[in-house]
Amino acid sequence: MNWFYRIYHFALKCIVIFIGIPNPKLHQGKQGLSDAIAALGLQKGDPVLVVTDQALLKLNLHQVVEDALKQAGLVSHYYADILPNPTVENVENGLAAYQQHQCKGIISLGGGSVLDSGKLIGARAVKPNKRVTQLKGLFKVLKRLPPNIAIPTTAGTGSETTVAAVVNDPARNSKYAATDFCLVPHHAVLLPELTTSMPANITATTAIDALTHAIEALLSINCLKFSRERALNACRAIFEYLPKAQQDPFDVTARGQLLLASHYAGQAFTRTSVGYVHAISHQLSARYGTPHGLANAVLLMPVLTWYGDRINQQLALIARHCGLTSLDYPVERQADDLLNHIQALLHDLQIQTRLNEVLPHDAAHLAELALKEAHPDYPVPHFMDPYACQRIIKEIATAS
């Protein structure tokens, strides 16, 4: 089947080359938020659905959006019941709120779960006769979403610039993505001051999520110049500014650079797709409710180690670009320097190496689901077999 996968990957690359993938209009700061709202083209008095979660409401982080909407003469309605791993029910309830208030646009304020939910609520609004489960896979929407803005409050998922939206389906114990060009938000607003209240562990795991996006984009056989540049710049910013944000949570410059790194990493992987870290991570979130960023952070080193020497060129490129090695070293040494730096960073961030909720006897089933997700959709540089996947899962599982 490997030859079929590579033909499929080549077809995906052709789509990126000849059709292209849209980018959101990027805005930064409070003036950028006002500009984005004005660009929605709505009339005074029009209702807008603000999609967020309860934690952000309690922290009053929505106030900056509320003030900007009032200034623009728009009426806000809130749907704030998004879970950390958003469910099909979350999306359907959000759609009900959108329809009840006859909203004309959507502003999503939150982490990746909120931004993805906002995308899917918009997709359901323009596809009212299709259930969320029917949007799974590629190009099932194919219709322009209502005017929308994505405002990330975590520097990790890059969902404000991606073509995908991930949702959890508890009824089927599965997690899947809807992927369509129209799911790219119309506008993305980066407000670093909204991220200063993030706890240190969330700052760490979301940033490693973005780092994983960048690395897996660079490992993809479909990585082209734009994605390579974006991914490398994301890696460099994360290595430089994540420790600074951890040391001083109110360092707005560091927070802003991490948001931009997450945005760049999102632009990279939305053109290349991701890899086995994400394929396995999604199963852990669906099965155990493991936070996505944490799962990626725990899996990153085991998956990179499994690839071994086969990805030395890509790892060495990152090490050189980020100034983590000597240009005089052989490629193997440069690759090792990157891996050692990542390992040290994870240690300094106090990222655990095991997940207590993961059970070794689940490894075979989880590996089957992970590889089913990865093949053929992810243009990985080398294919993983079920036994290798099981070994990685058992490696990060609690002792039996």
Side-chain angles (χ1 to χ4, degrees):
M1 291 294 290
N2 290 357
W3 62 270
F4 167 74
Y5 297 158
R6 290 309 191 203
I7 292 173
Y8 180 74
H9 298 158
F10 179 73
L12 294 177
K13 179 184 281 190
C14 289
I15 290 174
V16 174
I17 294 173
F18 297 110
I19 299 177
I21 292 177
N23 282 311
K25 174 68 175 177
L26 179 62
H27 309 265
Q28 299 189 60
K30 291 184 178 179
Q31 183 57 52
L33 174 59
S34 297
D35 293 343
I37 291 174
L40 293 178
L42 303 181
Q43 303 297 315
K44 289 187 182 298
D46 279 347
V48 174
L49 183 69
V50 180
V51 180
T52 187
D53 60 38
Q54 291 295 331
L56 292 179
L57 288 185
K58 290 177 182 177
L59 290 170
N60 206 36
L61 294 185
H62 69 289
Q63 194 60 50
V64 64
V65 174
E66 181 68 21
D67 292 343
L69 286 172
K70 285 183 178 178
Q71 186 176 12
L74 300 176
V75 179
S76 59
H77 298 280
Y78 285 81
Y79 176 66
D81 293 330
I82 305 298
L83 297 175
N85 282 309
T87 65
V88 170
E89 184 180 14
N90 289 160
V91 175
E92 293 299 334
N93 290 341
L95 172 67
Y98 182 89
Q99 294 174 330
Q100 176 187 348
H101 299 293
Q102 298 181 325
C103 293
K104 304 295 185 181
I106 298 172
I107 297 180
S108 302
L109 172 72
S113 58
V114 170
L115 302 190
D116 281 1
S117 297
K119 293 179 183 182
L120 290 171
I121 291 168
R124 286 286 286 111
V126 298
K127 289 285 187 177
N129 297 322
K130 276 198 171 184
R131 299 185 302 275
V132 179
T133 52
Q134 293 176 294
L135 301 179
K136 175 183 178 181
L138 297 174
F139 306 119
K140 300 294 178 61
V141 185
L142 294 174
K143 194 171 183 180
R144 183 174 174 82
L145 269 56
N148 63 81
I149 300 171
I151 309 171
T153 58
T154 61
T157 68
S159 182
E160 76 279 0
T161 189
T162 67
V163 297
V166 178
V167 68
N168 204 29
D169 188 352
R172 295 173 173 80
N173 201 27
S174 64
K175 192 171 185 176
Y176 58 82
T179 304
D180 203 317
F181 293 163
C182 61
L183 293 179
V184 175
H186 301 156
H187 301 272
V189 180
L190 305 185
L191 294 166
E193 59 269 28
L194 296 184
T195 68
T196 57
S197 60
M198 271 197 302
N201 65 312
I202 303 299
T203 297
T205 55
T206 52
I208 298 302
D209 185 18
L211 180 65
T212 304
H213 292 153
I215 292 175
E216 292 202 310
L218 287 160
L219 294 180
S220 170
I221 65 168
N222 282 2
C223 189
L224 300 171
K225 181 181 178 181
F226 178 83
S227 294
R228 186 178 304 109
E229 291 175 349
R230 285 291 196 256
L232 287 171
N233 288 337
C235 288
R236 182 167 57 191
I238 292 166
F239 287 138
E240 179 177 354
Y241 289 102
L242 177 54
K244 293 180 180 180
Q246 290 291 88
Q247 186 176 22
D248 180 5
F250 297 97
D251 185 338
V252 177
T253 298
R255 293 289 190 177
Q257 288 298 315
L258 289 178
L259 273 176
L260 196 57
S262 174
H263 190 79
Y264 284 165
Q267 287 180 317
F269 89 80
T270 205
R271 289 158 175 77
T272 65
S273 201
V274 284
Y276 291 121
V277 176
H278 277 78
I280 301 172
S281 171
H282 288 158
Q283 313 319 314
L284 304 187
S285 296
R287 175 70 177 85
Y288 307 109
T290 308
H292 176 68
L294 175 60
N296 279 352
V298 172
L299 286 162
L300 181 57
M301 282 301 297
V303 171
L304 294 181
T305 302
W306 168 78
Y307 276 120
D309 294 343
R310 294 172 293 188
I311 58 171
N312 276 350
Q313 292 290 341
Q314 297 97 317
L315 298 186
L317 175 63
I318 300 171
R320 293 193 301 270
H321 185 84
C322 298
L324 304 177
T325 191
S326 170
L327 300 181
D328 296 330
Y329 289 162
V331 167
E332 295 78 9
R333 173 77 178 274
Q334 293 175 345
D336 285 342
D337 282 347
L338 175 67
L339 292 176
N340 290 335
H341 187 82
I342 294 174
Q343 187 72 65
L345 178 62
L346 294 172
H347 179 268
D348 291 344
L349 296 172
Q350 300 181 341
I351 301 290
Q352 63 208 67
T353 58
R354 288 178 177 267
L355 296 168
N356 292 333
E357 64 269 26
V358 179
L359 304 176
H361 65 256
D362 287 341
H365 181 57
L366 292 170
E368 179 184 358
L369 293 175
L371 296 184
K372 183 178 180 180
E373 174 180 321
H375 304 152
D377 286 343
Y378 298 164
V380 292
H382 301 279
F383 294 113
M384 183 181 289
D385 62 57
Y387 301 106
C389 193
Q390 289 178 42
R391 285 195 299 271
I392 288 172
I393 294 170
K394 289 177 180 178
E395 180 182 341
I396 59 98
T398 185
S400 57

